[in-house]
Amino acid sequence: MARLSSTLHADALNALPSWARQANQSATYPRMFVQVAERHGLSRAQILASAGLPETLLDDPAGRLSLQAIWQILDAILTLGCPTTLAFEAGLSMPLTAHGSLGYALMCANTPRQAINILERFWHLRGRGFVLTVEQSGSELFFEVSVEAALPPTLRDVQLNAILTSMYQAMQFMMAMQRSDDEIWLQGTEPDGFDRWREQLPTVRFSMPRAGISLQGDLSVLDQPLPTANPEALAQALGQCERESAMMADDSDIVRRIRAAMTPDSHGYPTPEQLAATLHLTPRTFRRRLQEQGQSYQQLLEEARRRDSCRLLMQPELEIRQVGELLGYTDPANFTRAFKGWTGRTPSQWRQAQQP
């Protein structure tokens, strides 16, 4: 296996927000990554030593780790030469029950739509470090997953690829049907060796401005009864989710709230002052709270522009110049430059590639 240089340097670790150092994350996910790495010839002891972590860290299946430790483990796996396609292997190896009480609640929900509501409500139990946004537009339902902390691109992409692969597999299990129009959108480029996993997934689009799952076509299936529905077990699972949520440190959710509010109107995106007023904060406190979470207004603005550029370019009635203006780019050249930086393509090239 070819080794990569570590992407998670000391400076990157020091820059992580304080909530990333709290040991409140399930050991299930890093254990799964380690198990996949073992199939590729690495050992648990080798991985944890490379990550600078105790050899016994993963011994307790019910143990809790910090996000920092999880990212160190994943970085060590990649540094030791495991291919980045381990993300798809890990995601496809993860049964719905691997997600603990949340997984059981999803399985026992009455309908897929109720399961989506539960996922949004308790995402933080299993998805801390990542933000889930669900939006419906006509006959499309899009599940966007974005990163809360600044991570090296390779580490970010591997985690997002695993999360979305696991999510889609869970959707297929719950709805017990194949949907030919569904897509998985990934921000990174297509990794070597992906062909091995292509047939087990829907259409996968790489180099996209945002990462997520697109369910298209007839969405009436969302209101059909689930074959695994169990009201009594659902009540028990939801009660456990509530208890786990109460036990977790109540970290500031300011980044999530800002992301939700960062939508353009006819005047563009809200300014820092407008966002501060929405959150009932002074502009100074607003900036400080963002800094405490390792974020800035400009970072979240660029993230929103990247997210919305894709949605707007999918509307053929909008000229590319108009899309740029809606995103706040008065000069079309600046929009083209920014979009190419996000996707490796110009807006016109990207739009053409989406056509059937």
Side-chain angles (χ1 to χ4, degrees), residues 130-329:
F130 298 86
V131 177
L132 172 68
T133 305
V134 182
E135 55 188 47
Q136 183 170 354
S137 177
S139 60
E140 180 187 20
L141 189 67
F142 195 86
F143 298 78
E144 180 180 4
V145 179
S146 54
V147 184
E148 282 191 278
L151 290 175
T154 300
L155 203 56
R156 175 204 66 191
D157 293 341
V158 166
Q159 287 216 274
L160 286 173
N161 296 357
I163 289 170
L164 293 169
T165 299
S166 178
M167 282 179 63
Y168 189 78
Q169 179 177 246
M171 291 176 184
Q172 292 296 93
F173 171 80
M174 293 170 62
M175 291 189 277
M177 62 181 294
Q178 296 291 326
R179 295 170 49 86
S180 58
D181 294 331
D182 297 342
E183 297 178 348
I184 295 179
W185 291 14
L186 303 176
Q187 290 178 276
T189 57
E190 181 175 328
D192 293 337
F194 174 70
D195 282 343
R196 178 183 175 187
W197 310 104
R198 195 183 302 275
E199 291 187 0
Q200 300 182 54
L201 297 168
T203 298
V204 178
R205 296 185 181 274
F206 293 93
S207 301
M208 301 296 277
R210 57 178 179 163
I213 295 173
S214 172
L215 303 184
Q216 304 179 45
D218 182 10
L219 298 180
S220 63
V221 66
L222 299 179
D223 298 305
Q224 298 299 314
L226 283 172
T228 54
N230 186 325
E232 182 179 354
L234 174 62
Q236 294 175 352
L238 288 177
Q240 182 60 29
C241 286
E242 293 282 9
R243 287 188 288 273
E244 291 179 17
S245 182
M247 289 172 62
M248 289 185 68
D250 186 20
D251 300 314
S252 172
D253 64 349
I254 188 170
V255 174
R256 295 190 190 88
R257 294 165 65 191
I258 292 173
R259 282 192 172 104
M262 191 72 85
T263 56
D265 57 20
S266 58
H267 302 290
Y269 289 93
T271 64
E273 292 73 21
Q274 290 170 328
L275 289 169
T278 299
L279 299 173
H280 307 290
L281 300 172
T282 66
R284 181 177 179 181
T285 300
F286 173 81
R287 289 192 297 272
R288 178 176 57 79
R289 295 279 295 277
L290 270 181
Q291 289 172 354
E292 290 173 352
Q293 300 300 311
Q295 295 281 359
S296 70
Y297 170 80
Q298 191 61 38
Q299 285 176 308
L300 295 177
L301 175 61
E302 287 304 298
E303 179 185 295
R305 284 171 164 169
R306 181 174 64 245
R307 173 198 68 205
D308 295 333
S309 65
C310 177
R311 174 177 57 81
L312 294 171
L313 284 171
M314 294 290 280
Q315 301 178 31
E317 69 276 10
L318 290 177
E319 297 180 4
I320 290 176
R321 172 188 55 79
Q322 293 175 294
V323 172
E325 289 175 352
L326 289 170
L327 296 173
Y329 294 96

Side-chain angles (χ1 to χ4, degrees), residues 23-42:
N24 56 15
Q25 297 299 298
S26 169
T28 300
Y29 306 130
R31 283 169 63 90
M32 178 58 70
F33 276 116
V34 169
Q35 288 172 12
V36 171
E38 288 174 334
R39 298 174 200 161
H40 291 266
L42 301 180

